[in-house]
Amino acid sequence: MGVKERYQKVDAELAEVCRANGRSRSDVTLVAVSKTVGPDAVADALEGGAHDFGENRPDGLMQKADLYPQAAWHFIGNIQSRRIHDIVGRATLIHSLFSEHHARKIDQVAGERGLVQDVLIEVNVSGEESKSGLAPADVPAFLALCENLPHLRVRGLMTMAPQGDLEVARQTFEGLAQLEEQLRATLAPDRAEAFTEMSMGMSEDWREAVAAGATIVRIGRAIFSDTFEE
Ligand SMILES: *Cc1c(COP(=O)(O)O)cnc(C)c1O
């Protein structure tokens, strides 16, 4: 199987898992995480019907987003201040915001360019030390700060689950869904309307994420690696 076929296989299974959970396929965006592959593999995925791609480095984002502007490009990696001008405007959605300094800089650059940048707040639900993101208790204050930045629009939350235990992954995703619901209740109606996204689930745990309400899954190896085994 090539990239095109693997993309279509994941896409078909996603439709099945949505159905099994009483959800609509159109409620979940499948982001093909192309961070480990070159432009040719992106072309294969596009041929298979992919529309959304994820990159974790500004250089990969710039190269591929500029080659394939017909796709939507998501930035899912570590944000560095000095690269923010390369990400703003190019990324449809920045998934990995959790610092005040970065929030202010993204707002500033977006303002200079006359646009509003969509972002997600990354949350470290599991508390694993190796994971980045805010502790759940720190999210309300950070969201309030972001809501005051006119060129930033917070669309929801993002998390990564610990690897290797699907039960722990399920609890992590349910934790994010609970937090999202609590936060939405605190927002003004027009802001709550935009605060709908939950980016969670990767190659091994996306089924648990969809069951917990993910609106975006980020899948890399299951699409792009020919050695990936469930
Ligand atoms: C690499 C990466 C993914 C995709 O992981 P796979 O296990 O390859 O599906 C998803 N999200 C983030 C933030 C990543 O860095």
Side-chain angles (χ1 to χ4, degrees), residues 33 35 56 76 158 160 202-204 218-222:
V33 177
K35 65 189 184 192
N56 67 342
I76 62 173
M158 180 274 229
M160 290 174 81
M202 316 198 327
S203 288
E204 272 144 7
R218 310 176 309 267
I219 302 184
R221 286 168 301 141

Side-chain angles (χ1 to χ4, degrees), residues 187-230:
L187 294 171
D190 60 319
R191 305 304 295 224
E193 212 170 286
F195 190 83
T196 53
E197 304 292 344
M198 277 189 276
S199 169
M200 52 191 194
M202 316 198 327
S203 288
E204 272 144 7
D205 55 20
W206 64 265
R207 298 168 189 82
E208 285 70 25
V210 169
T215 64
I216 304 174
V217 292
R218 310 176 309 267
I219 302 184
R221 286 168 301 141
I223 294 169
F224 290 109
S225 163
D226 53 16
T227 56
F228 179 77
E229 299 280 346
E230 300 274 343

Side-chain angles (χ1 to χ4, degrees), residues 78-111:
N78 189 33
I79 298 172
Q80 292 172 290
S81 276
R82 61 188 178 82
R83 299 306 302 272
I84 280 175
H85 63 276
D86 293 324
I87 303 171
V88 167
R90 222 178 233 109
T92 310
L93 182 63
I94 298 173
H95 291 228
S96 41
L97 177 65
F98 57 90
S99 114
E100 175 175 345
H101 177 64
H102 293 155
R104 293 189 186 283
K105 179 109 195 241
I106 292 168
D107 178 62
Q108 180 206 326
V109 173

